[in-house]
């Protein structure tokens, strides 16, 4: 019981750390995911192949393995001396982007055929059709799966704690090393995650209601 | 390939433009790959000696042992999580309020907490009461991993099964009751078999998640595939460099092969299920994969439907 009161600063830091890593990788995943979804429906075969390979590889790889790559291989190739936060964000963002891509792609498929046909008959190009007609309409159907994806992302961010990023899991490790009962730590950490995931699903439900239109 | 509605079948001009984009796109991807390869080469990751480590009998035995322990954890966790999932699903649909509340609370709690934290807490708990619980050797880590995976995936499987049971047409249940079957009989002989059949692709896709999550054993130093790969990469030194790249390539290929085999099974079952006409739609194979491993309650309630 006293764990929370005695170590409020640590808990707060961990909570903010989880929020930060989740938000940062969510943005990365969203940008990458939409881009790759665009690749996958584009008329250019190499980009399509790249998109398919990206999704297949990342969806079938354990996230822990991606973290290993990010922390042990990437610094050798590209940016040595990058902070753990950025590396963890890269691993989480890339992993999640493959799920975002599939959600967006199935969302694109739900937009009525006539919309794209009408856009084309107006002489719009592929990128114009996608940007101005299809994606805005796909947004509505993509929201519910995106909400689940971001909830999963929040929970996956715990792995970053095992790779020296300060967040809730690293806090629970720190405090259990100090000899506090794991039961109470678990309960408080669980509560913190519940707060975050409920906020996410609530925010998405609000967004859905806002964007709802009769079709 | 001109079947997409997003763009026309390309004319002569567009074909040339597409070809230019193709070349530029391919070159860009190739450029990144070549740069990565050059950098890795400069670090000596492509030296024959670096890859020669796989000719070492010890390394091969370690990898084989890693695959076997991973599969052992997966097999046990898969069976247990399916059993727990069935139990929890029935509990959630029970007529007795306390049972229903307990099952609901259990599912909600363990689905919301990151699996890693559940496993880690179990591990510490088991370590603390090691002698009382009669663990020896790496039994603590093994059971923490298995039980953690079981609890989490059992909760998810319970929701999948519940969605399946709710998708069975009401007439089935009514007919069974009309024949004088008891509540248990209706559940066991009528509802669950049909729910399992409809949800089999989703269930197997969730098993892929279970398989991937066995790699969390890495964090609690359980010797599954990822952990042994990392240990080897950290301990072996070839030309003053650690063979992280070769180890990760080999490990990645093994993981991807195992997961894709399972996913292929799910897709195959989905396609088979579509052929027969029972009135119960068979779920998409990629459903829980696409939705990450957390499924929002509202979306599982009505597969494919809108929330609320």
């Amino acid at each position: 019981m006293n764990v929370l009161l005695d170590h409020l600063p640590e808990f707060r830091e961990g909570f903010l750390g989880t929020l930060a890593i989740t938000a940062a990788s969510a943005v990365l995943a969203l940008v990458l995911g939409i881009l790759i979804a665009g690749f996958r429906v584009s008329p250019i075969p190499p980009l399509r192949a790249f998109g398919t390979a990206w999704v297949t590889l990342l969806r079938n790889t354990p996230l822990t393995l991606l973290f290993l790559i990010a922390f042990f291989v990437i610094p050798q190739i590209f940016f040595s001396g990058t902070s753990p936060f950025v590396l963890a964000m890269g691993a989480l963002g890339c992993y999640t982007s493959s799920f975002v891509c599939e959600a967006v792609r199935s969302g694109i498929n739900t937009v009525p055929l006539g919309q794209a046909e009408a856009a084309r008959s107006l002489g719009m190009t592929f990128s114009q059709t996608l940007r101005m007609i299809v994606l805005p309409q796909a947004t509505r159907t993509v929201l519910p799966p995106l909400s689940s994806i971001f909830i999963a992302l929040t929970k996956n961010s715990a792995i970053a704690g095992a790779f020296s990023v300060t967040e809730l899991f690293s806090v629970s490790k720190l405090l259990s090393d100090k000899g506090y009962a794991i039961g109470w730590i678990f309960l408080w950490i669980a509560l913190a995650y519940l707060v975050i995931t409920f906020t996410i699903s609530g925010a998405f439900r609000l967004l859905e209601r806002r964007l709802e239109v009769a079709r | 390939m001109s079947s997409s509605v997003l763009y026309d079948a390309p004319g002569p001009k567009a074909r040339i433009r597409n070809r230019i984009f193709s070349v530029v796109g391919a070159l860009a991807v190739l450029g990144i790959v070549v740069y990565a390869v050059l950098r890795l080469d400069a670090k000596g990751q492509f030296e024959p000696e670096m890859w020669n480590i796989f000719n070492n009998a010890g390394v091969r035995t370690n990898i084989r042992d890693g695959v076997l322990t991973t599969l052992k954890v997966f097999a046990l966790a898969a069976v247990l999580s399916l059993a727990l999932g069935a139990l929890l699903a029935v509990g959630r649909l029970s007529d007795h309020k306390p049972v229903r509340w307990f099952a609901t609370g259990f599912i909600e709690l363990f689905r919301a907490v990151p699996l890693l934290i559940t496993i880690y807490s179990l591990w510490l708990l088991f370590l603390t009461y090691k002698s009382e619980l009669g663990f020896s050797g790496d039994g603590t880590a093994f059971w923490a991993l298995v039980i953690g995976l079981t609890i989490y995936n059992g909760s998810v499987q319970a929701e999948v099964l519940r969605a399946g049971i709710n998708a069975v047409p009401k007439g089935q249940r009514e007919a069974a009751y009309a024949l004088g079957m008891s509540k248990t009989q209706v559940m066991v002989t009528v509802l669950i078999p049909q729910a399992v059949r409809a949800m089999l692709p989703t269930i197997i896709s969730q098993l892929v998640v279970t398989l991937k999550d066995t790699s969390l054993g890495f964090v609690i130093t359980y010797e599954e595939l990822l952990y042994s790969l990392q240990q080897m990469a950290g301990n072996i030194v070839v030309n003053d460099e650690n063979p992280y790249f070769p180890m990760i390539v080999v490990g990645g290929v093994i993981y991807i092969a195992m997961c894709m085999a399972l996913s292929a099974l799910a897709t195959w079952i989905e396609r088979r299920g579509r052929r027969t006409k029972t009135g119960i739609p068979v779920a998409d194979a990629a459903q829980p994969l696409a939705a990450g491993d957390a499924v929002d309650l509202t979306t599982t309630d009505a597969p494919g439907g809108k929330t609320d």
Side-chain angles (χ1 to χ4, degrees):
Chain A
M1 191 71 204
N2 289 329
V3 195
L4 180 68
L5 297 176
D6 290 352
H7 291 274
L8 211 54
E10 279 96 330
F11 269 105
R12 204 193 54 219
E13 210 163 288
F15 188 72
L16 292 179
T18 294
L19 281 186
I21 186 82
T22 307
S25 25
V27 171
L28 179 66
L30 207 58
V31 172
L32 268 180
I34 294 175
L35 188 73
I36 304 277
F39 282 5
R40 288 204 71 177
V41 296
S42 83
I44 301 163
L47 290 187
R48 272 208 305 265
F50 176 75
T52 314
W54 178 273
V55 170
T56 318
L57 285 182
L58 285 175
R59 274 212 317 195
N60 288 304
T61 314
L63 183 54
T64 331
L65 183 70
L66 291 184
F67 267 95
L68 272 190
I69 297 175
F71 279 81
F72 291 108
V73 179
I74 295 293
Q76 284 194 358
I77 314 176
F78 296 111
F79 328 96
S80 46
T82 319
S83 73
F85 183 87
V86 175
L87 291 175
M89 182 190 84
L92 271 170
C94 289
Y95 177 76
T96 313
S97 77
S98 64
F99 297 102
V100 173
C101 165
E102 287 306 274
V104 170
R105 205 166 64 100
S106 60
I108 288 175
N109 288 336
T110 60
V111 175
L113 273 180
Q115 298 287 329
E117 282 170 356
R120 258 171 52 196
S121 73
L122 286 176
M124 286 188 176
T125 63
F126 167 74
S127 70
Q128 279 175 324
T129 315
L130 201 60
R131 236 171 348 113
M132 292 158 43
I133 309 292
V134 177
L135 276 183
Q137 297 190 64
T139 311
R140 282 190 288 269
T141 32
V142 170
L143 280 178
L146 268 193
S147 146
S148 324
I149 289 170
F150 286 145
I151 288 172
L153 171 63
T154 312
K155 297 190 299 171
N156 284 334
S157 73
I159 298 176
F163 287 86
S164 60
V165 175
T166 308
E167 48 77 77
L168 284 167
F169 176 65
S170 65
V171 169
S172 87
K173 248 167 87 170
L174 183 85
L175 294 181
S176 57
D177 283 348
K178 284 188 180 169
Y180 285 99
I182 190 67
W184 283 109
I185 303 175
F186 177 81
L187 218 67
W188 292 122
I189 301 269
L191 210 67
Y193 275 102
L194 272 171
V195 167
I196 301 178
T197 50
F198 270 120
T199 313
I200 293 178
S201 64
F204 268 91
R205 209 154 300 157
L206 209 73
L207 255 180
E208 267 167 58
R209 210 159 299 151
R210 269 293 190 70
L211 293 175
E212 209 167 36
V213 282
R215 274 233 187 101
Chain B
M1 271 293 142
S2 58
S3 56
S4 173
V5 275
L6 290 170
Y7 47 87
D8 276 310
K13 231 171 159 182
R15 262 208 296 275
I16 293 170
R17 207 174 51 223
N18 279 357
R19 216 161 282 159
I20 292 170
F21 276 133
S22 297
V23 173
V24 171
L27 280 181
V29 172
L30 216 68
I32 296 173
V33 172
V34 166
Y35 179 70
V37 167
L38 284 179
R39 290 290 302 163
L40 283 173
D41 193 35
K43 284 278 176 189
Q45 298 284 359
F46 288 108
E47 298 295 317
E49 294 92 340
M50 201 57 115
W51 293 83
N52 204 23
I53 52 174
F54 294 111
N55 282 330
N56 185 313
V59 170
R60 279 213 292 245
T61 324
N62 267 350
I63 292 179
R64 195 201 58 206
D65 288 351
V67 172
L68 286 182
T69 39
T70 291
L71 287 178
K72 196 170 80 182
V73 171
F74 168 66
L76 203 56
V79 172
L80 289 178
S81 70
L82 287 176
L84 181 69
L87 208 68
L88 284 174
V90 172
R92 257 204 106 155
L93 295 168
S94 162
D95 287 340
H96 309 288
K97 265 187 190 156
V99 177
R100 207 163 59 218
W101 286 342
F102 175 77
T104 311
F106 188 91
I107 291 172
E108 290 301 309
L109 175 66
F110 285 105
R111 252 180 17 152
V113 179
L115 177 55
L116 177 59
I117 288 180
T118 310
I119 290 175
Y120 183 75
S121 303
L122 280 172
W123 185 50
L124 284 186
L125 205 69
F126 290 169
L127 277 182
T128 317
Y129 300 102
K130 198 171 177 176
S131 46
E132 283 92 329
L133 291 167
F135 287 125
S136 60
D138 64 350
T140 30
F142 175 75
W143 285 108
L145 188 57
V146 169
I147 294 176
L149 281 168
T150 301
I151 290 177
Y152 174 74
N153 288 292
S155 303
V156 178
Q157 299 282 18
E159 289 299 282
V160 173
L161 266 181
R162 193 170 68 99
I165 290 174
N166 285 337
V168 175
K170 231 171 125 198
Q172 300 279 330
R173 183 187 320 224
E174 288 165 357
Y177 278 125
L179 287 175
M181 284 185 177
S182 70
K183 230 164 52 184
T184 318
Q185 277 178 318
V186 174
M187 198 49 106
V188 173
T189 60
V190 177
L191 295 181
I192 289 185
Q194 300 194 67
V196 167
R197 196 187 152 277
M199 283 298 163
L200 207 52
T202 314
I203 290 171
I204 294 175
S205 299
Q206 184 60 35
L207 287 182
V208 176
V209 176
T210 313
L211 180 58
K212 286 200 297 182
D213 283 347
T214 58
S215 69
L216 289 177
F218 170 74
V219 179
I220 59 166
T221 67
Y222 176 67
E223 279 154 4
E224 41 74 56
L225 180 55
L226 196 62
Y227 184 76
S228 43
L229 287 172
Q230 204 268 345
Q231 285 296 303
M232 281 190 287
N235 291 329
I236 300 172
V237 179
V238 187
N239 303 339
D240 295 332
E241 290 283 345
N242 292 109
Y244 271 104
F245 182 68
M247 281 297 172
I248 281 177
V249 167
V250 168
V253 168
I254 296 175
Y255 271 113
I256 291 173
M258 290 196 294
C259 292
M260 282 181 76
L262 257 184
S263 309
L265 180 69
T267 318
W268 181 71
I269 288 176
E270 181 198 345
R271 212 166 292 146
R272 275 197 71 209
R274 287 252 166 84
R275 283 209 305 253
T276 47
K277 297 181 189 73
T278 48
I280 308 167
V282 171
D284 273 356
Q287 209 177 30
L289 279 180
D293 22 333
V295 189
D296 199 10
L297 246 192
T298 40
T299 45
T300 15
D301 275 341
K306 266 269 187 169
T307 47
D308 285 4

